[in-house]
Amino acid sequence: MRHHMATLVWRVLLAATLVCGIGLLPWLSRTDPALTVLKARSADRDPTPRVLADIRAQLDLDKGPLHLLGQWLGGLPRGDAGRSWLNGTQVTPTVVQALGVSLLLVTVALVVAALTAALVCARTLWLGAHRRLDRRRSGGGASAMLAALPEFLTASVLATVVGVQLGWLPALGWYGPQWTVLPALALGLPAGAVLGRLLDDLLPGAFAEPWTQAAEARGLRGRTVAVKAVRRCLPALLPNLGLFVVGLTAGSVAVEQIYDIPGLGRTTLQAALAQDLPVLQAGALALLLLAAGATGLATLAVRRLTGPALRDGALDSLHRPRRSTRSTLPLVYGGLLTAVVVLGLLRDPLALDTGARLRPPSRAHPFGTDALGRDLLARVGHGALDTLLVALAISVTALVVGVLLGLLPRLSGPLVDTVNAVPPVLAALLVTAVAGSGAGTPALAVAAVSWAALAAHTSSLLRQERATSHLTATRALGANRWYLLRHELLPAILPPVARHALLRLPGVALALASLGFLGLGTQPPAPGWGLLLAENQPYAERAPWAVLAPAAALALLGALAVSAAGGVRWRPRRRARPRPSATRTEQPLPARELVESG
């Protein structure tokens, strides 16, 4: 009971800190809120001192941020989140309606993600059900490329091809169930590819457990065994699934913008850019409550699925040490990506040729040209330096921070929920307000939120590994906590989390790209990959190669990351069996290694 109360207090303090930080946003950024509100209301009106004074008096800005924050918090118990600074409407109905739209969209997107994840791991399920996993080969290039596709690019292609050219589904607005299909596909396909890769990584360990042999001996059909294997893996995936629910709600800004959907992500973004604090604070609070609810449901589901086995230490490890998978795919993908970068570096990315605008690929321009006649191969090659290096640095930092905090689940659990509920755009605005704008601002903003999924993954695996029978036996033999952490827990946790981090490497690059798209990151004429997608997106129908070139580079990066992740293993050293004369102070061997060495 004391642990639950401490967690609740920690969660409330984090939520209060975030809401207060949002309330202080205009003053932290050292901007005049009255001027920002005037520009949002009427961009053509002159900001005279009298006009600004009227706005300050109307919004009580002269009384300071603490008065405004206290007034806003005082109305929450009555369900009153204040009035919008822009149009004077009540905030609560607006946020509740936007939240309902986003939840409906995310629900359909989760169905798409579940179907996509099933397709990604279908081969492993079939092989495991027929006891043929020895024929399984590392792959996943197609799923990695799908996961690496930008959501706004997928949304644009679906809207242009399926909605406009073919006319199969509506591509603009929000008026009924048919309008949810295309945006749900844009959100669900990349998320399903990531979830499918995580599930595919767990399934071999589930099929190797003793219960599968007992099921086969009882004559159960392979389909039944496959369903039970998925059920066995779900407890390790559910925390990440909860993060996806909140992440899709908060991070679907680009998709909602393209399809003109009045969701919570778009509402929060517009309020953040206009510094409409009542709407922004209410939207952030709604995301925090959604994160807490999703985490609570995931925790209950994990306890329901694992039952007493989690409490009694009767589980088996899903991540036994395995040999590194040898494959030539990383060399192939890495060689292609390196060749593109090297060839692009030999060209000038800023050279203009207005007479060669939007030219298709040719011998002179292998990737074609953009709207200003610049060589796309050169821009992709030079943009790789910033995109790849910064994304790699952020991924490594996120891996280290995520593992360290994930090993302390009581501390990191509420922190993960709070951080995951913050959209990257809002994080960038907060970082910009505190640290100022600059080249490092997007990297700081993405790094501040990218560790959350890895910490949640680490905590879920730690919970599972602590409940394994071999760890219980090793502890009974006298092993201390440091020995268990170094020789049992870390070898089981680090490889899958590292593979997860590699899988998210293209996503980190896309997060940097989205900030550049919104004017918070890389600025023209810099050739960042995300900026290339944003610049050439209006010409996708007329000159598709202008968008396909950076998208193909991102997809190639995703395929390289996933294929290389197959070789991330940790095989602990085999130590000699202790002699009978060993004292109790000597470190004992784990039960699993006693069996192997005997």
Side-chain angles (χ1 to χ4, degrees):
M1 183 66 181
R2 183 179 300 176
H3 164 62
H4 293 295
M5 286 300 299
T7 303
L8 179 61
V9 171
W10 177 225
R11 190 184 299 276
V12 171
L13 287 176
L14 289 173
T17 302
L18 177 62
V19 172
C20 292
I22 295 173
L24 298 174
L25 182 60
W27 289 268
L28 290 174
S29 59
R30 295 171 295 276
T31 59
D32 187 358
L35 180 59
T36 306
V37 171
L38 177 62
K39 290 181 178 179
R41 288 180 177 179
S42 178
D44 299 333
R45 193 173 181 182
D46 294 331
T48 62
R50 182 175 180 178
V51 172
L52 296 178
D54 291 340
I55 293 178
R56 294 190 190 99
Q58 180 184 0
L59 302 178
D60 291 335
L61 294 177
D62 292 332
K63 297 181 180 180
L66 296 181
H67 171 79
L68 293 175
L69 185 61
Q71 188 179 18
W72 182 80
L73 291 175
L76 289 182
R78 306 188 305 270
D80 183 12
R83 292 182 176 272
S84 171
W85 285 2
L86 301 184
N87 49 34
T89 59
Q90 288 287 343
V91 172
T92 302
T94 302
V95 172
V96 170
Q97 182 180 3
L99 178 61
V101 171
S102 293
L103 288 179
L104 176 59
L105 177 60
V106 168
T107 300
V108 182
L110 285 177
V111 174
V112 175
L115 295 176
T116 305
L119 292 176
V120 170
C121 59
R123 185 171 182 271
T124 301
L125 284 172
W126 188 88
L127 293 175
H130 293 82
R131 313 291 296 178
R132 298 180 183 178
L133 277 178
D134 54 332
R135 301 182 182 181
R136 182 174 178 264
R137 297 291 182 268
S138 62
S143 61
M145 291 181 179
L146 182 60
L149 288 178
E151 294 174 351
F152 60 86
L153 175 61
T154 307
S156 299
V157 172
L158 290 175
T160 302
V161 177
V162 180
V164 177
Q165 294 183 350
L166 299 178
W168 292 347
L169 291 168
L172 188 66
W174 186 261
Y175 305 104
Q178 294 181 342
W179 277 262
T180 64
V181 177
L182 292 184
L185 287 174
L187 290 173
L189 289 176
V194 175
L195 289 175
R197 291 300 307 170
L198 295 177
L199 179 60
D200 193 70
D201 190 50
L202 293 170
L203 283 173
F207 281 116
E209 291 183 340
W211 66 266
T212 58
Q213 299 178 0
E216 184 180 9
R218 290 181 55 190
L220 294 181
R221 294 187 302 175
R223 181 183 303 175
T224 304
V225 175
V227 171
K228 293 183 178 297
V230 173
R231 184 181 183 276
R232 172 67 182 88
C233 298
L234 280 181
L237 284 180
L238 283 175
N240 283 282
L241 186 60
L243 293 181
F244 270 109
V245 172
V246 184
L248 288 177
T249 305
S252 59
V253 179
V255 175
E256 292 178 356
Q257 289 277 29
I258 291 173
Y259 289 100
D260 195 20
I261 299 174
L264 186 59
R266 182 186 180 194
T267 301
T268 306
L269 171 64
Q270 293 176 346
L273 295 178
Q275 292 190 356
D276 191 355
L277 291 189
V279 178
L280 180 58
Q281 288 172 316
L285 184 60
L287 290 173
L288 289 174
L289 294 176
L290 178 62
T295 302
L297 291 177
T299 303
L300 291 177
V302 168
R303 293 178 180 177
R304 178 70 177 175
L305 289 173
T306 53
L310 189 64
R311 182 186 66 250
D312 299 337
L315 294 176
D316 196 10
S317 176
L318 293 176
H319 295 282
R320 298 177 178 180
R322 292 177 287 176
R323 293 182 179 180
S324 299
T325 305
R326 295 182 179 181
S327 175
T328 59
L329 287 178
L331 298 178
V332 174
Y333 295 138
L336 289 175
L337 189 59
T338 303
V340 170
V341 172
V342 171
L343 292 176
L345 290 176
L346 299 177
R347 297 166 176 259
D348 185 1
L350 303 178
L352 300 176
D353 186 2
T354 56
R357 298 174 62 253
L358 298 177
R359 291 287 179 84
S362 61
R363 181 175 299 181
H365 304 285
F367 285 1
T369 61
D370 62 7
L372 298 178
R374 295 173 295 190
D375 185 75
L376 284 174
L377 176 59
R379 296 185 64 76
V380 169
H382 284 266
L385 296 179
D386 293 334
T387 304
L388 296 181
L389 292 179
V390 175
L392 182 61
I394 293 175
S395 298
V396 173
T397 304
L399 175 61
V400 174
V401 175
V403 170
L404 292 178
L405 290 179
L407 294 176
L408 304 171
R410 294 184 180 181
L411 172 67
S412 63
L415 187 60
V416 166
D417 299 338
T418 304
V419 170
N420 187 70
V422 179
V425 175
L426 181 56
L429 292 174
L430 292 173
V431 171
T432 303
V434 176
S437 60
T441 299
L444 290 175
V446 175
V449 298
S450 59
W451 59 269
L454 301 178
H457 195 189
T458 301
S459 296
S460 64
L461 293 179
L462 179 67
R463 189 182 304 110
Q464 297 280 313
E465 291 296 325
R466 281 177 172 174
T468 55
S469 56
H470 75 83
L471 196 71
T472 304
T474 307
R475 189 184 297 112
L477 291 173
N480 56 32
R481 292 183 178 182
W482 171 249
Y483 182 90
L484 293 175
L485 177 65
R486 181 180 178 184
H487 297 284
E488 294 293 334
L489 295 176
L490 286 180
I493 291 174
L494 278 183
V497 177
R499 292 193 290 271
H500 188 184
L502 277 174
L503 187 64
R504 286 186 172 272
L505 177 61
V508 172
L510 290 179
L512 295 171
S514 63
L515 295 181
F517 176 75
L518 296 172
L520 299 173
T522 304
Q523 299 298 318
W529 287 357
L531 191 58
L532 294 182
L533 288 169
E535 290 176 343
N536 297 308
Q537 182 181 347
Y539 310 99
E541 185 175 358
R542 176 184 173 187
W545 56 86
V547 176
L548 289 178
L554 279 169
L556 196 59
L557 174 62
L560 172 61
V562 171
S563 59
V568 178
R569 308 291 178 198
W570 184 346
R571 189 173 182 83
R573 294 181 301 173
R574 296 175 61 90
R575 295 179 298 281
R577 186 176 180 177
R579 297 179 181 179
S581 59
T583 62
R584 289 183 60 85
T585 58
E586 293 180 350
Q587 294 289 0
L589 282 173
R592 183 172 68 249
E593 296 188 8
L594 287 175
V595 174
E596 293 179 353
S597 60

